[in-house]
Amino acid sequence: MLTLHSFLILGAVMFVIGIYGVLTRRNILGILISLELMFNAAMVNFVAFNAFSPEGLVRLTNFQGQYMPSLHGQVFALFVILVAAAEAVVGLALVLAVYRNLKSVYVEKLNLLKW
Amino acid sequence: MAGWVFCLLSVMIILASFGVALLRNVMHSALLLGVALTGVAGLFLLLGADFLAAVQIIVYVSGVLILMLFVVMLTHRLYDRTLAQTNERKLLAAALCLAIFAVLCMSILRDDVTVLQGEEKQSFREWVLVEPQTTVATIGEVLLKTYVIPFEVASVLLLAAMIGAILFTKREPGQD
């Protein structure tokens, strides 16, 4: 039987695997890719809570006067996609700028700010 | 039947995410992220979020992932395929991740947190499985009525991200 817990545990597994990837990878792009995995885990959580929440948490009516289902979790997941795309763009631009100067994408070479 | 589809999708997603975190070749890892994101889009379809699944595939898989593949191909060296991709803190990271997962599972499986009020047992809302509706109109109305301010702020955020990306990758005159 499919319950809310199965979706939440799947989201937790994805999130934890993403954390492992962020903590252990040496390539900056590998870290950014694992970060995207963490974003997707959060989105799975949002949409799962939206689908399993009781009907009529917030009663909205559309312009025809019908009751709409409340889709706040899906709208939030849409915003997560948006912010993740913006962050990926800026992060990748930074990676390109770093590569142009250091000729390397490994994080142990990024030690210019070390004392 | 929804249970079998969920099992199939979750096996695909978990195997792909293990590949994302553990593979040496960053190109393979990015492509497996594409598999995982498509699996997540399938999960969204299972949960009745049809517009979100389409947006996920169009924006995330075909946009962000392709961008990452571009940068992977631009910064790839031939010896990268044989280098170890993980640093020396593997065991500590694995222990930390298992601890975080244990805490998350304990908080998910508690009965007084994830049992929502007004529902006796956790089952899909009726309109998800019995009477499928398209969510596009509702998302459009909610975005432009309830969440209009975050919507406009998000457009400013995207503008800032575009300007930042162009600025970071601009070649100065005199640079190589």
Side-chain angles (χ1 to χ4, degrees):
Chain A
M1 210 207 26
L2 202 55
T3 61
L4 176 63
H5 300 278
S6 22
F7 285 100
L8 295 185
I9 292 184
L10 175 66
V13 168
M14 280 175 69
F15 190 71
V16 163
I17 294 176
I19 291 181
Y20 180 76
V22 166
L23 287 177
T24 57
R25 289 197 80 114
R26 287 172 58 217
N27 199 337
I28 302 182
L29 291 164
I31 294 178
L32 283 177
I33 286 170
S34 305
L35 201 63
E36 298 296 326
L37 200 60
M38 290 163 73
F39 278 121
N40 277 279
M43 278 201 290
V44 165
N45 261 3
F46 275 121
V47 179
F49 268 111
N50 181 48
F52 281 92
S53 71
E55 178 78 67
L57 206 53
V58 175
R59 280 282 181 185
L60 298 170
T61 53
N62 62 4
F63 61 97
Q64 289 169 350
Q66 301 163 343
Y67 277 129
M68 304 188 292
S70 69
L71 290 180
H72 296 263
Q74 293 181 21
V75 170
F76 211 105
L78 211 58
F79 278 112
V80 169
I81 290 181
L82 207 145
V83 170
E87 164 262 344
V89 158
V90 173
L92 292 171
L94 281 173
V95 165
L96 277 179
V98 162
Y99 179 75
R100 191 182 294 156
N101 284 328
L102 285 179
K103 292 292 177 279
S104 165
V105 285
Y106 289 106
V107 292
E108 58 256 8
K109 301 283 193 324
L110 300 178
N111 53 2
L112 286 176
L113 287 179
K114 261 184 133 167
W115 58 89
Chain B
M1 217 265 293
W4 289 113
V5 173
F6 175 73
C7 279
L8 199 66
L9 280 173
S10 62
V11 161
M12 179 169 116
I13 290 174
I14 290 180
L15 287 180
S17 16
F18 271 121
V20 163
L22 296 174
L23 282 183
R24 284 174 185 230
N25 195 345
V26 185
M27 186 79 179
H28 291 174
S29 155
L31 293 175
L32 280 178
L33 179 71
V35 172
L37 295 182
T38 313
V40 169
L43 273 183
F44 289 162
L45 279 177
L46 187 64
L47 287 167
D50 49 350
F51 178 66
L52 200 63
V55 164
Q56 160 95 353
I57 291 186
I58 290 176
V59 171
Y60 235 124
V61 179
S62 311
V64 175
L65 189 69
I66 299 289
L67 206 59
M68 291 197 166
L69 281 173
F70 264 109
V71 181
V72 164
M73 287 190 271
L74 279 173
T75 60
H76 182 69
R77 296 294 179 88
L78 207 53
Y79 58 79
D80 283 346
R81 266 184 247 170
T82 55
L83 281 182
Q85 272 297 331
T86 54
N87 54 19
E88 65 273 4
R89 293 192 181 84
K90 272 189 287 201
L91 286 176
L92 190 60
L96 181 68
C97 289
L98 283 175
I100 292 177
F101 184 59
V103 168
L104 279 175
C105 276
M106 278 196 301
S107 64
I108 285 170
L109 295 172
R110 279 175 61 179
D111 273 335
D112 50 350
V113 172
T114 44
V115 170
L116 301 162
Q117 291 174 351
E119 290 276 296
E120 288 303 318
K121 59 183 167 90
Q122 306 280 309
S123 57
F124 273 124
R125 271 197 284 186
E126 292 84 30
W127 60 270
V128 172
L129 284 181
V130 171
E131 185 192 316
Q133 288 180 354
T134 58
T135 51
V136 188
T138 314
I139 286 183
E141 293 217 31
V142 170
L143 261 183
L144 291 175
K145 280 187 191 174
T146 318
Y147 293 112
V148 61
I149 294 181
F151 181 65
E152 303 296 337
V153 170
S155 63
V156 176
L157 175 75
L158 284 176
L159 180 69
M162 263 198 300
I163 293 177
I166 294 174
L167 209 60
F168 288 143
T169 54
K170 208 171 74 139
R171 283 186 193 273
E172 303 293 324
Q175 224 179 11
D176 62 27

